[in-house]
Structure formats: structure tokens, C-alpha cells
Amino acid sequence: MNGKYKKVAYYPGCALEGSAHAYSRSTKAVGRKLGLDLVEVENWNCCGAMEVKNIDPKLQTYLSSRVMSIAANEMKFDVVMAPCNGCYHNLKKAEYDLANDPDSVAVVERLSTKAGHETYQAGDIETIHALDWIKHSIGEAGLRERVKNSLAGLKVANYYGCMYTRPRHIFPEKDQGGDSESTLEPHYMDDLLAAAGAEIVAFPLKTACCGGAHTLSDSDTSTKLVINILRAAELNGAEVIATECPTCHSGLEMHQIRAEKRFDIKTSVKIVYFTQLLGLALGLSPRKVGLHENVSDSLPLFKEKGLA
Amino acid sequence: MPIHEKSLIRPENLHSQENLTIDGVDVSGHWSTFIEPRVVTDYNENLEDEIAALPGGEYIHRCWQCGSCTNACPVNAINPDFNPRFWIYLVRLGMEDELLRDKDIIWQCVSCNKCTYVCPRDVAPEGVMKATAHWLELKGHRPKSPSILFDEVFSEQVFATGKIEEGRIIRDFFKRTGQPLMQDWLVEMVKRLLSGLPLKLMMTMGLATLFRPRTRGWGPARAAIEEYVHEKEAEQRRALGLDGSAGDIE
């Protein structure tokens, strides 16, 4: 049990206020149920995502640093939690660049001064993902005690995507042995959902790419990559793919439909945020975890399994 | 797993005659195949420096051609012509004409960073792909790709308000690329989404498209960012030997 994650700054990011509202809703609901406090970063901005990075990587560093600066300097938090892989990745990348690249530090200083807020200094705050947050505050043992509605009998493939583990150098705390996360074979989601009773199926594509960067700009490539993921999950017997990234989640949902419409390839595996599964296991209602806000309609499956 | 790569001999450079006799020996068909000599005379000696001057291309000089990037690449698995190792090779040798043969697919890199993860020399091939795609467009070798148009639509919103609103991004992107918004699969997705939504949430989503989400007091940050963007554009154009004036990324 790590006390410092009991109360953390919460950085939802743009997607969680839009298409991934269900992820935000279920994350908050699970936090409340587990007695963990989330305090939203005041007046936050976009982390820069992949798109601003493509225009200029140092601008993305600045945008992410502003979020960390507010959480650390104005709100005095030691830890900021981002459930979105993109936001999490970008805050980590900004942290790495500001610790190692003097040019990035100079750009961030200049922009922060002109924008009128305190410049973020590397080391001012620790960025964690929603998976780290639950894994290191409650842990598997804590979850097992609190499970009201075991996920027993539900076959789950855990899908982590790209941004949670790559590139390796921006995640210095990973691959450190012991309880640390692995960048090659991430397992935090597997650990948590197994503790909630789910049957975790083998899933070699857990860090494959969904083509999220080109969901709209090169849709055929994205659809082909998503078909691989959906089929691999089904071949391994999964009824549900658990996600922890809004871009992956909506990418899988969108391209599952697009594969049907454009390539006549039908898959029936359901796509659900891991926080929604944890919420159901903790006894929350489908509504409370925002199951109705997903495009992928998993409610009949959960009813059949006695989870809803 | 061995890397299956394309041959450097292109089909159009292979010649064979159906009926050919030389010195009384019949060498028809396969036996008369010869390969046109491949002579490269138009090296662009600045190519590597130009790519290295763009964001992401900084470490291209470290590459020792092991091919791990291509082997790890999911786009290569879909299209064998998508070959980061080969393009890095061409750029480093200055073989611009060869590189231009693939100018319409280089932008398709999905930024999954598998290449950067496996690269033993920290070349960061994902960045090199972005720099190369950017270079092709700055040099006028091809129009802006859908990918960079998407990046621009997205970044403009972030610079303007500090946040994005996804519905607006989708609308603006389809408008800028001249595509109809009513794609069958998007319509189907919205149908399935709305079927489960309560009225209250639908109204919240509707309001978000009318009243754009924005970061309070964003004005000074916006001004600082725009000034920086213009400076950077001018810098890049100078590095590429273009006119030196600021371009319009808007």
C-alpha cells in the first residue's frame, strides 16, 4: 500500500471530456469506491498529443509542462494521474526531455515566462497512469477483499497499445524488476483484472498498434491493424478486450464497425475500459461506470454473465 | 525472423528477348535476361543534413543499417514497400531520386514507436519518418498529406483555445481534405453511440460543440506559441535552402 497515491492530481485530458467520457466517469467512480481522492488539475490544457509533437516536439513539451506546473506549483501536488495513454506518455516525455535536453528547457522557460506561469522544473511532480494508481495504492490483495461481483467466467484480453510502454527511455521506472511494469510484456491490467476474478486469456498483441495516429487520415491502415487485434483476441477466446487508452478504445470501436462496412469482416468481441470492468466487480451499476456511453454494446454480455 | 526485403533490381530494369540468337547460340527468353546498369549521378549531398535539421531527424547519422526498425514495423507488415531502413540508407547516401519513388507512402508511419523501441543505436526511426515526410512536403515534392493536414487542424485548435473538441476536429478535417462527413461507418458509429445515451448526456455533447471547451486566460500562451511557431518555420526553411520567409502552417 503506497500512501502517496491516496490523493493525487487528476489530469483527464481532452478525450476524457468527449468520446471517452465513460473512461473518466468509471475512473472517478472506481476511485470513490476504493477511497482514493482525485482532484482535477485546475484550468488544464491539451498535452499536445501526437499532432502538436508532429508540428514541433518542443511545443508538445511546453504544453505538457504547463499541466505539470499547475499541479505541482499552484496546487502543490506530488503526483499527477492521467488515465489517457497519450497524456500520460506526453507528460512522461516532457519530464524526460526537461531532465536531459537543455534546448527543451530553454523553450519551456521562454514560453512559460511569456504565458505568465511558473516554469516547470524536472522532478517537481511524478506522473502516473490510472493502472499505476490502483496497482500501487490498493493492489491485488486490496481489490480481492473489495470485490462484490467477481468477474469469474469472463474471458478478457488486455490491450495496452503503444504509448504506455514505448519508447522505453521515457519510462525509467519500468523494467526495474520486482513489482515494476514491463515494457515488453506489460501486466498491470492483467494483475488487476485477475484479482477482480476475470479469466485472462493469452494475448500476444497486447502492445500492438491500433493505428490510432491515422484513424481518419489513413483509415484503411488503421482498420487493417485493428482487425489483427480483434481477431487475435477472438482466436484466444476473449469475450472482452479491456482497454486503458481512449484513442485505442475508440479506434477499436470505430474500426470494428469500419471492418464490417468496408471489408465485410465481422468480429463480436466487446471493447470495454478496464475501469468499467473493475467498477462492475466492485458492485457499481452499469450506468455508474458509463457502459451505455460505449459504442461497443457489452451490456447483454454482462447481463448474461450476471454482472449487470 | 528474417527480414524479407525487396530486391534492388527493379522489374523495369530487367530485359529479356523472346527470340535471340548470338553467334549461332539460341539465348531466347530467360537465357538472354540482362540487367540495365544502375548508375547514380545525381547525389544530393545535403540530403542527410536537411533531414537532420528537421524535428525527429537529429539522430539519423547513428544508423548502421541492422534493419530492426523495418522488422518491427506494423506498416511494413501491411505494405512491404514501407521500409524505414531502406529510406534511412537512401537519405544517408543522398539518393534523392530513389527516395522520391516512395514519396507517397512515407507519411503513413503510425508512430507506434516499435522501431524506436528496438533500435540498438537510438536513431529514433519514428522521428526520422516524420522528418522525411515533412521534408518531402516542404520541398514541394508532394502536396500536404492527410496526416499533416490532420496535425494542423488539431494543432490550430490547441493553439487557439488550449483544448480540442473532437467533433470539431472531425468536421474540420473532412472539410479540409474535401471528404464527405457522412461516411457510412461514421454514421453507423454515431447511430450505435446515440442508441444507448440518455438525453442529458446528448445535450452536454451538443453544447460542447456550440461552446468550445477552452483553457481560461489562454491568450498569452497562445501569443507565445504562435511567435515560436513562426520562428521555427523560418528556421526550417533556411535549413532546407528555401526562400527564408515564414510559411503558413496557420
Side-chain angles (χ1 to χ4, degrees), chain A residues 167-186:
Chain A
R168 193 201 313 256
H169 65 261
I170 66 172
F171 305 109
E173 73 284 6
K174 291 184 179 163
D175 296 328
Q176 299 303 309
D179 214 13
S180 71
E181 182 62 297
S182 157
T183 59
L184 192 63
E185 296 256 359

Side-chain angles (χ1 to χ4, degrees), chain A residues 19 43 46 53 114 183, chain B residues 117 126 162 166 189 216 227:
Chain A
S19 60
N43 202 25
C46 167
K53 185 225 77 176
K114 285 192 174 163
T183 59
Chain B
Y117 186 88
E126 182 266 345
E166 293 159 317
M189 197 186 86
R216 286 189 318 276
E227 183 192 53

Side-chain angles (χ1 to χ4, degrees), chain A residues 163-220:
Chain A
M163 312 289 268
Y164 177 66
T165 55
R166 288 189 298 268
R168 193 201 313 256
H169 65 261
I170 66 172
F171 305 109
E173 73 284 6
K174 291 184 179 163
D175 296 328
Q176 299 303 309
D179 214 13
S180 71
E181 182 62 297
S182 157
T183 59
L184 192 63
E185 296 256 359
H187 53 80
Y188 277 14
M189 194 160 36
D190 301 47
D191 299 346
L192 296 177
L193 292 177
E199 185 182 327
I200 308 299
V201 305
F203 190 45
L205 297 195
K206 51 167 70 167
T207 67
C209 177
C210 73
H214 290 327
T215 282
L216 297 175
S217 49
D218 186 11
S219 303
D220 279 357

Side-chain angles (χ1 to χ4, degrees), chain B residues 198-241:
Chain B
L199 192 64
K200 189 172 150 235
L201 190 65
M202 271 195 249
M203 280 171 62
T204 319
M205 287 167 71
L207 286 175
T209 64
L210 290 177
F211 302 101
R212 306 173 62 172
R214 53 178 74 237
T215 306
R216 286 189 318 276
W218 186 247
R222 175 184 185 166
I225 288 170
E226 281 170 357
E227 183 192 53
Y228 173 82
V229 168
H230 282 290
E231 250 173 53
K232 275 284 156 191
E233 279 166 8
E235 211 174 274
Q236 285 173 12
R237 294 178 71 84
R238 272 197 301 280
L240 266 54

Side-chain angles (χ1 to χ4, degrees), chain A residues 2-203:
Chain A
N2 187 336
K4 73 176 174 170
Y5 293 168
K6 286 273 292 177
K7 184 174 181 179
V8 298
Y10 174 53
Y11 176 44
C14 306
L16 271 75
E17 293 206 330
S19 60
H21 186 260
Y23 193 17
S24 183
R25 187 180 173 131
S26 52
T27 300
K28 287 182 192 164
V30 166
R32 270 193 301 274
K33 198 79 183 166
L34 295 174
L36 303 171
D37 277 341
L38 293 177
V39 183
E40 187 164 328
V41 176
E42 288 157 14
N43 202 25
W44 51 264
N45 56 276
C46 167
C47 69
M50 189 173 285
E51 287 74 11
V52 176
K53 185 225 77 176
N54 289 344
I55 301 289
D56 189 293
K58 292 191 178 67
L59 267 183
Q60 179 264 304
T61 304
Y62 163 68
L63 290 166
S64 296
S65 82
R66 182 184 178 277
V67 175
M68 292 193 285
S69 173
I70 292 172
N73 301 322
E74 294 175 24
M75 299 169 67
K76 308 293 177 199
F77 271 89
D78 298 325
V79 180
V80 58
M81 186 277 276
C84 165
N85 268 4
C87 298
Y88 166 70
H89 173 104
N90 277 345
L91 266 51
K92 288 291 213 187
K93 180 174 162 290
E95 179 72 31
Y96 177 85
D97 287 348
L98 293 174
N100 294 287
D101 175 29
D103 291 349
S104 295
V105 174
V107 169
V108 166
E109 263 172 17
R110 170 187 154 177
L111 292 173
S112 301
T113 308
K114 285 192 174 163
H117 58 83
E118 206 170 318
T119 305
Y120 177 78
Q121 311 281 343
D124 280 353
I125 205 164
E126 178 190 0
T127 298
I128 61 169
H129 190 272
L131 285 168
D132 299 314
W133 175 58
I134 299 174
K135 168 96 176 169
H136 294 304
S137 58
I138 302 296
E140 293 96 300
L143 270 179
R144 264 183 233 111
E145 282 168 21
R146 292 170 170 83
V147 165
K148 291 216 173 68
N149 210 352
S150 167
L151 302 178
L154 185 70
K155 292 180 183 144
V156 181
N158 293 301
Y159 178 56
Y160 297 80
C162 302
M163 312 289 268
Y164 177 66
T165 55
R166 288 189 298 268
R168 193 201 313 256
H169 65 261
I170 66 172
F171 305 109
E173 73 284 6
K174 291 184 179 163
D175 296 328
Q176 299 303 309
D179 214 13
S180 71
E181 182 62 297
S182 157
T183 59
L184 192 63
E185 296 256 359
H187 53 80
Y188 277 14
M189 194 160 36
D190 301 47
D191 299 346
L192 296 177
L193 292 177
E199 185 182 327
I200 308 299
V201 305
F203 190 45

